[in-house]
Amino acid sequence: MEFGAAGPLGGGQDEPWGPAAPAMDDLDLHDEPPPPYHSVVLQSTVEAPSTSGRQSGSGTYGVPASSEFEIRVTDPVRQGEGVAAYVSYKVLTRTSAPGYRESAEVIRRFRDFTWLQKRLRREYRGVIVPALPEKSVVEKYKMTGEFVEARRAALTVFINRVAAHPILKRSRDLQLFLEASETEFAIEVSRSQVDDPVAVQGAAKKTLSGAVSFLRDLGHTASNLYHKRTDDEEEDAEYLKVRAYVFELERHLGEAHRQAARLVRHQAELGESVREFGAAMASLGRYEESGLVADSFGQLGERAEAVSRLCGESSEGLAASFEAPLKEFVRTVRAVKKVMADRSGALAALQQARSDVDARRQRLAKLRGTPGIREERVAEAERDLADAQQKAEAAKAAYEAIVQQMSGELERFQRERAQEMGYVLRDFALAQAQVSGETARLWASLVPGLAAAAGGGGAGGS
């Protein structure tokens, strides 16, 4: 597995960061701003209006869109009251994918998205399944419009990323999610839970075997320590570098998102402060005796109101096109860590299976060396050893399958995240330049009137 020159998952010189940013002298700050993040997803179009009211027909920040799926999550509706309340969404799909209907409209709720994610993780081990927005009991109880809209946007990103994934888009569960009626979907979900051995055995299995499993795992841990076998010793060195990088990446992305959220709040607070300042200036102007000075105060109030609106729009734009992507990048890194945890679990299972083989082989050798031992006990030990060897082979196959799958997944993660991050940062800089330029233009338009007031309106001031 090869990575860029800047290190594992880093943005090396060969990474596809997109087109070079134009020089500031060549920028037209009045060009159409980039579409909001939630309206476009990598390799998938979403028919939602951009901030300018026009439709976006490309993937996230210039990435070519897929021609197979167009999925929208729309029309959130609150159902029920109190702690039992939930939000339902329309999921609208248009697709040319083989085996699908050309268009479909279904109603889904958050737990249905969660069901799909869990099914995909179970079916495609080693694949980085896109992340869902975090659960929040407090926010769910309050059910504010801002919370519902943020979740709707995040669900749109999730389902489009699943449909754009070269492996996950082939899932039967995805098709069921996108096409089945509410009744059909509920029946299939119930059936899948019955068919799921974990759900069937559930708590009863944990209760009956918990103590035995604990003692067995304790024995395996001691055996592994004795044989000096650890994850790090058996894992590929390049993979360990990537794993360490991903853990650090989560921390730094989390901090970047926190600061982006602060920036959004600051922009909104700045707009409110400018609005209040403008209102104060307009009120002061009404008490001025000099007409020129009074007019200047009035114009100052008008410009401040315009700048305030601009700051408010900028805050909303930052939330959609900068804070939201950073938050989703954090979720995606956590999804990568989830797959890495599955890989570690598969390796631990393999190590335990090997320990079982060693223990049963030693037991068989001991029985064979014991004089007068019954043949039935030897035969039973041989069967136990064969069974342990078979389980070890299955554990090895499961681990190797995850390793093979993850190799391509990590490369795809590196490529897509580097490209999207490049576009997000570029569009952030362009949006900030546009806001700054428009703000400067609004304030500069006051200068001629203020100069005239300063030159001829000194008398009669307050």
Side-chain angles (χ1 to χ4, degrees), residues 83-86 109 136-143 147 151:
V83 294
Y86 66 92
R109 53 188 292 188
S136 174
V137 176
V138 175
E139 291 294 339
K140 177 187 174 182
Y141 185 77
K142 292 191 296 185
M143 205 77 77
F147 167 74
R151 172 167 283 190

Side-chain angles (χ1 to χ4, degrees), residues 209-432:
S209 63
V212 176
S213 297
F214 173 77
L215 294 174
R216 184 176 64 247
D217 293 345
L218 187 62
H220 288 314
T221 301
S223 176
N224 288 342
L225 290 174
Y226 175 76
H227 292 289
K228 304 297 184 182
R229 293 193 304 210
T230 66
D231 288 0
D232 289 357
E233 289 175 345
E234 293 204 32
E235 282 288 13
D236 175 69
E238 188 69 18
Y239 168 73
L240 293 177
K241 294 179 182 178
V242 176
R243 190 178 67 181
Y245 176 85
V246 167
F247 275 74
E248 282 296 305
L249 181 62
E250 180 189 22
R251 183 169 64 87
H252 290 294
L253 274 176
E255 179 61 22
H257 170 255
R258 283 190 291 273
Q259 297 305 325
R262 284 187 60 195
L263 182 60
V264 170
R265 291 194 299 270
H266 172 74
Q267 193 75 355
E269 291 168 357
L270 175 62
E272 182 62 18
S273 297
V274 172
R275 186 193 66 78
E276 293 176 355
F277 166 74
M281 291 297 100
S283 297
L284 180 60
R286 287 192 288 270
Y287 290 92
E288 285 291 339
E289 297 179 2
S290 170
L292 285 176
V293 174
D295 289 345
S296 297
F297 276 120
Q299 292 175 14
L300 182 61
E302 292 175 0
R303 297 302 190 280
E305 180 68 26
V307 171
S308 174
R309 288 195 300 270
L310 188 64
C311 288
E313 294 170 358
S314 173
S315 176
E316 294 176 0
L318 282 174
S321 63
F322 189 57
E323 181 192 359
L326 289 176
K327 189 170 186 177
E328 202 238 342
F329 291 161
V330 174
R331 295 191 192 111
T332 301
V333 172
R334 290 172 182 166
V336 175
K337 289 177 62 180
K338 173 67 176 176
V339 177
M340 290 179 168
D342 289 343
R343 175 167 172 162
S344 296
L347 179 55
L350 174 58
Q351 292 171 339
Q352 291 184 2
R354 288 171 175 169
S355 296
D356 279 340
V357 171
D358 292 343
R360 296 186 187 192
R361 183 178 288 117
Q362 292 172 9
R363 179 173 180 270
L364 177 59
K366 182 178 180 180
L367 289 174
R368 284 174 175 172
T370 303
I373 196 71
R374 291 186 303 174
E375 288 296 327
E376 292 83 355
R377 293 189 63 185
V378 174
E380 181 183 2
E382 289 175 343
R383 288 193 298 270
D384 288 345
L385 175 59
D387 181 62
Q389 289 173 331
Q390 185 178 7
K391 291 180 179 178
E393 287 298 320
K396 180 181 179 182
Y399 169 68
E400 290 179 346
I402 291 179
V403 170
Q404 181 178 6
Q405 186 69 70
M406 281 189 67
S407 178
E409 281 292 285
L410 290 174
E411 290 173 358
R412 186 181 64 85
F413 164 78
Q414 176 200 22
R415 181 176 63 254
E416 292 183 1
R417 294 293 85 76
Q419 189 173 41
E420 289 190 1
M421 182 64 81
Y423 282 119
V424 166
L425 296 179
R426 185 202 67 178
D427 291 341
F428 166 76
L430 289 174
Q432 290 299 99

Side-chain angles (χ1 to χ4, degrees), residues 104-275:
E105 177 180 323
V106 297
I107 302 296
R108 297 290 182 259
R109 53 188 292 188
F110 184 79
R111 72 179 185 186
D112 299 329
F113 287 86
T114 302
W115 174 88
L116 176 62
Q117 184 191 57
K118 290 180 178 178
R119 293 282 293 184
L120 293 174
R121 283 176 173 172
R122 179 184 170 195
E123 183 179 359
Y124 299 101
R125 297 189 68 192
V127 172
I128 302 172
V129 177
L132 283 169
E134 299 81 3
K135 292 182 179 180
S136 174
V137 176
V138 175
E139 291 294 339
K140 177 187 174 182
Y141 185 77
K142 292 191 296 185
M143 205 77 77
T144 63
E146 182 180 358
F147 167 74
V148 172
E149 173 57 23
R151 172 167 283 190
R152 184 206 64 78
L155 293 177
T156 299
V157 173
F158 165 79
I159 194 63
N160 277 279
R161 287 205 184 282
V162 170
H165 194 286
I167 297 174
L168 299 180
K169 69 179 182 181
R170 300 195 294 264
S171 170
R172 177 187 174 278
D173 292 319
L174 174 62
Q175 184 171 10
L176 177 71
F177 179 91
L178 294 176
E179 291 187 344
S181 68
E182 288 68 59
T183 301
E184 293 171 339
F185 185 75
I187 293 174
E188 288 296 326
V189 168
S190 298
R191 184 178 301 166
S192 69
Q193 292 173 345
V194 172
D195 294 338
D196 187 346
V198 176
V200 173
Q201 298 171 9
K205 180 179 179 181
K206 293 179 181 178
T207 302
L208 292 173
S209 63
V212 176
S213 297
F214 173 77
L215 294 174
R216 184 176 64 247
D217 293 345
L218 187 62
H220 288 314
T221 301
S223 176
N224 288 342
L225 290 174
Y226 175 76
H227 292 289
K228 304 297 184 182
R229 293 193 304 210
T230 66
D231 288 0
D232 289 357
E233 289 175 345
E234 293 204 32
E235 282 288 13
D236 175 69
E238 188 69 18
Y239 168 73
L240 293 177
K241 294 179 182 178
V242 176
R243 190 178 67 181
Y245 176 85
V246 167
F247 275 74
E248 282 296 305
L249 181 62
E250 180 189 22
R251 183 169 64 87
H252 290 294
L253 274 176
E255 179 61 22
H257 170 255
R258 283 190 291 273
Q259 297 305 325
R262 284 187 60 195
L263 182 60
V264 170
R265 291 194 299 270
H266 172 74
Q267 193 75 355
E269 291 168 357
L270 175 62
E272 182 62 18
S273 297
V274 172
R275 186 193 66 78

Side-chain angles (χ1 to χ4, degrees), residues 3-13 245:
F3 296 90
L9 302 183
Q13 294 181 351
Y245 176 85

